[in-house]
C-alpha cells in the first residue's frame, strides 16, 4: 500500500486517431523503512483515439528509476543528497523525429536528463530492460545522458521539454526549486541525443555538464505589481500557423498581503515565443492576451518603458527600471542610458546599441485598467532582456 502521486503528463498525437500520454507515478515511501533514499518513480503510458472524450486505455509500465549503485546501498549521510538513483523516471517528454524515430527524454535532479528510444508501434522502450540496479553498464538500456547541470548526484535541473524546429532539437529545462527560484533554460542540438549546447557554446551533454544558457524565464517584477515567480516546467507548442507558445506554472511571491499562502498555489501561464534570426526562442515577459499583431510603427516606440535586465540570481525577482526612447533615437535612463536606438519595422526588431530586441503586442497586465501595449525580449550574449512600453 505505497503512498504515491501522479506527475507531469505529456500528450502527443502519434498518427490519425492515436494519441499517447506518458505520465509519472512517484512512490514516496522509504525503500527499506529506514532513512535510505526513498523516492522512486515509474513512467506509464495511456492511449486514446479522441482526447476530447477523455477515454484512455492504460497500457501500463514503460520505465522506472534506475541505479548504478547496486542493490545493497544505504544513504551514508542522512543530511546530504547523495542520491541512490542515477536516472529519475519522472517528467517525460515524448519526441517523434522527422525520420520517424520515437524517443522518451526524462529526468529530474539526480544525475541529469536521459533519453531512451521507443518502439513506434507499442510506445514501449525499444529494447528489453534489465533489472533497474547494477553497474552503469548494467543499466545502460535505461537511457543515455543528454543534459546535466554539473556532475553531482543531486542537481537543480528537471522537466525536459524537447521540440524540433528548423533543423534543431530544442531542450527546455527547469532549474532550481519550484516555489520561488524556478527558472527556464534552453539548449539545442542537431541530433535528438545531443550534444546539446547553449547560446554560449557550453556542451551540457558532456559528463561534467554545464549551466544552460540562455535564461528563458526568471522571477520578475514590473512596477505596480507583485510580479511572478516559480515560472518553469514548460510545454512548448505551435498553433499550426507558425505561432509558438510557452505554457508553464507561475506563482505569486511569498507573503503577498491579503492572500493566504500566496506562494503555494501553481497557476497556469501562457506566453508568446518569438525566434531570433539565429534560431533561439525568446519568451515574452507578459502573459498572452490574444492582442491582434498589427504592424508596430517607429512612432509608437517613442516614450516611456520599463526594462528588466533578466540576470540569473537564485531566488530573487529581477525588478524593472525606467527607460525612455526619445524622438532623437537616444535612450535616456536605465542600463542603456546614452545609447542610440533604431528600428526595423518589417522584422519588428528594436536595436539598442548592438542588442536586438524582438517586439510583440501583448496585454499590460499591471496597468489599471488593463490595456494593450508593446513588449520586447532579447539576448545579449548570455544575458536576457525583457521590457514593456508604459506610456
Amino acid at each position: 500500500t505505497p503512498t504515491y502521486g501522479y506527475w507531469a503528463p505529456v500528450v502527443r498525437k502519434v498518427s490519425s486517431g492515436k494519441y499517447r500520454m506518458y505520465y509519472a507515478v512517484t512512490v514516496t515511501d522509504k525503500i527499506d523503512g529506514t532513512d535510505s533514499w526513498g523516492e522512486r518513480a515509474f513512467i506509464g503510458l495511456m492511449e486514446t483515439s479522441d482526447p476530447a472524450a477523455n477515454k484512455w486505455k492504460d497500457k501500463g509500465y514503460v520505465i522506472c528509476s534506475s541505479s548504478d549503485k547496486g542493490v545493497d546501498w544505504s544513504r551514508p549521510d542522512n543530511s546530504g543528497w547523495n542520491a541512490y538513483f542515477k536516472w529519475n523516471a519522472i517528467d517525460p517528454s515524448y519526441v517523434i523525429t522527422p525520420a520517424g524515430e520515437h524517443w522518451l527524454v526524462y529526468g529530474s535532479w539526480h544525475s541529469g536528463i536521459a533519453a531512451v528510444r521507443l518502439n513506434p508501434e507499442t510506445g514501449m522502450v525499444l529494447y528489453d530492460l534489465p533489472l533497474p540496479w547494477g553497474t552503469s553498464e548494467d543499466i545502460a538500456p535505461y537511457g543515455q545522458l543528454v543534459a546535466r547541470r554539473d556532475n553531482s548526484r543531486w542537481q537543480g535541473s528537471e522537466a525536459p521539454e524537447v521540440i524540433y524546429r528548423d533543423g534543431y532539437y530544442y531542450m527546455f529545462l527547469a532549474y532550481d526549486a519550484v516555489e520561488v527560484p524556478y527558472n527556464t533554460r534552453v539548449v539545442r542540438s542537431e541530433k535528438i541525443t545531443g550534444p546539446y549546447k547553449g547560446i554560449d557554446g557550453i556542451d551540457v551533454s558532456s559528463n561534467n555538464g554545464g549551466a544552460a544558457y540562455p535564461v528563458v524565464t526568471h522571477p520578475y517584477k514590473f512596477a505596480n505589481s507583485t510580479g511572478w515567480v516559480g515560472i518553469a516546467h514548460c510545454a512548448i507548442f505551435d498553433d499550426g500557423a507558425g505561432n509558438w507558445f510557452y505554457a508553464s506554472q507561475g506563482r505569486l511571491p511569498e507573503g503577498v498581503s491579503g492572500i493566504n499562502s500566496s506562494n503555494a498555489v501553481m497557476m497556469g501561464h501562457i506566453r508568446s515565443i518569438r525566434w531570433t534570426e539565429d534560431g533561439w526562442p525568446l519568451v515574452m515577459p507578459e502573459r498572452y492576451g490574444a492582442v491582434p499583431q498589427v504592424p508596430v510603427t517607429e512612432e509608437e516606440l517613442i516614450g516611456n518603458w520599463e526594462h528588466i535586465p533578466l540576470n540569473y540570481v537564485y531566488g530573487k525577482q529581477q525588478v524593472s527600471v525606467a527607460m525612455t526612447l526619445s524622438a532623437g533615437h537616444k535612450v535616456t535612463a536605465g542600463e542603456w542610458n546614452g545609447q542610440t536606438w533604431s528600428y526595423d519595422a518589417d522584422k519588428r526588431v528594436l536595436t539598442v546599441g548592438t542588442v536586438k530586441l524582438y517586439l510583440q503586442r501583448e496585454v499590460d497586465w499591471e496597468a489599471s485598467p488593463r490595456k494593450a501595449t508593446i513588449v520586447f525580449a532579447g539576448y545579449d550574449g548570455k544575458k536576457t532582456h525583457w521590457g514593456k512600453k508604459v506610456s
Side-chain angles (χ1 to χ4, degrees):
T1 56
T3 57
Y4 60 90
Y6 291 100
W7 297 88
V10 58
V11 179
R12 298 278 191 262
K13 183 177 182 179
V14 180
S15 59
S16 179
K18 180 182 285 188
Y19 298 80
R20 284 181 178 152
M21 177 195 293
Y22 290 89
Y23 61 91
V25 177
T26 301
V27 178
T28 55
D29 299 285
K30 302 297 184 184
I31 290 175
D32 56 6
T34 69
D35 284 330
S36 64
W37 192 263
E39 181 181 277
R40 47 242 147 99
F42 307 80
I43 292 174
L45 168 64
M46 293 193 288
E47 291 183 349
T48 187
S49 61
D50 180 11
N54 198 28
K55 294 180 180 179
W56 295 84
K57 182 177 181 180
D58 199 305
K59 310 293 282 191
Y61 166 89
V62 177
I63 200 167
C64 69
S65 299
S66 55
S67 176
D68 57 355
K69 292 187 175 183
V71 69
D72 296 319
W73 180 88
S74 61
R75 193 173 172 189
D77 180 1
N78 292 340
S79 64
W81 293 97
N82 185 15
Y84 170 62
F85 292 111
K86 182 176 182 179
W87 306 130
N88 188 15
I90 68 170
D91 296 350
S93 183
Y94 179 31
V95 187
I96 302 175
T97 73
E101 294 180 356
H102 292 225
W103 288 81
L104 198 67
V105 182
Y106 69 95
S108 172
W109 292 67
H110 293 66
S111 296
I113 309 301
V116 65
R117 192 170 174 183
L118 303 173
N119 183 322
E121 297 301 318
T122 65
M124 301 298 175
V125 176
L126 183 61
Y127 308 107
D128 291 338
L129 290 173
L131 291 172
W133 59 80
T135 66
S136 292
E137 291 183 357
D138 291 335
I139 66 165
Y142 283 81
Q144 62 185 94
L145 172 70
V146 290
R148 69 193 320 176
R149 191 169 180 174
D150 53 49
N151 61 2
S152 69
R153 297 290 297 199
W154 190 246
Q155 53 190 275
S157 65
E158 63 180 3
E161 170 75 343
V162 180
I163 59 103
Y164 180 82
R165 179 184 182 272
D166 291 351
Y168 284 102
Y169 295 92
Y170 291 85
M171 183 188 299
F172 295 78
L173 296 165
Y175 267 29
D176 301 327
V178 299
E179 295 88 352
V180 174
Y182 230 21
N183 62 99
T184 308
R185 311 297 182 94
V186 67
V187 289
R188 70 183 185 184
S189 170
E190 294 178 341
K191 298 180 179 179
I192 182 67
T193 54
Y196 285 88
K197 296 182 179 181
I199 201 169
D200 56 356
I202 296 297
D203 178 2
V204 303
S205 300
S206 69
N207 286 332
N208 290 324
Y213 281 94
V215 175
V216 179
T217 67
H218 189 282
Y220 74 98
K221 182 181 182 301
F222 283 119
N224 304 315
S225 74
T226 62
W228 291 97
V229 301
I231 311 163
H233 198 142
C234 65
I236 306 296
F237 60 96
D238 73 319
D239 63 358
N243 302 303
W244 286 82
F245 297 90
Y246 167 102
S248 76
Q249 70 141 319
R251 301 182 187 224
L252 293 172
E254 297 173 330
V256 175
S257 178
I259 301 178
N260 182 38
S261 302
S262 60
N263 185 237
V265 179
M266 292 182 286
M267 290 170 274
H269 286 197
I270 297 179
R271 291 174 167 82
S272 292
I273 292 175
R274 286 202 61 191
W275 298 83
T276 68
E277 61 186 11
D278 51 355
W280 288 96
L282 287 161
V283 172
M284 294 296 121
E286 291 281 31
R287 289 164 289 150
Y288 177 72
V291 177
Q293 295 302 313
V294 298
V296 177
T297 66
E298 183 170 303
E299 289 73 20
E300 290 181 275
L301 304 183
I302 298 168
N304 298 314
W305 295 70
E306 289 183 44
H307 170 211
I308 302 178
L310 210 64
N311 299 313
Y312 170 65
V313 180
Y314 183 90
K316 179 180 178 181
Q317 285 179 289
Q318 295 292 24
V319 179
S320 65
V321 295
M323 178 182 80
T324 300
L325 301 185
S326 74
H329 289 259
K330 290 291 185 180
V331 180
T332 59
E335 179 175 320
W336 291 322
N337 185 37
Q339 296 274 3
T340 299
W341 67 270
S342 61
Y343 180 55
D344 185 329
D346 292 334
K347 296 181 179 179
R348 281 184 296 145
V349 173
L350 166 67
T351 300
V352 177
T354 60
V355 180
K356 293 184 177 181
L357 305 169
Y358 291 72
L359 304 184
Q360 187 90 346
R361 292 190 184 273
E362 289 297 351
V363 173
D364 185 343
W365 293 97
E366 292 76 36
S368 183
R370 291 169 181 161
K371 62 181 182 179
T373 188
I374 302 168
V375 300
F376 68 70
Y379 296 130
D380 179 11
K382 289 170 41 174
K383 189 173 183 178
T384 303
H385 297 277
W386 274 0
K388 71 169 180 176
K389 191 167 189 284
V390 292
S391 63

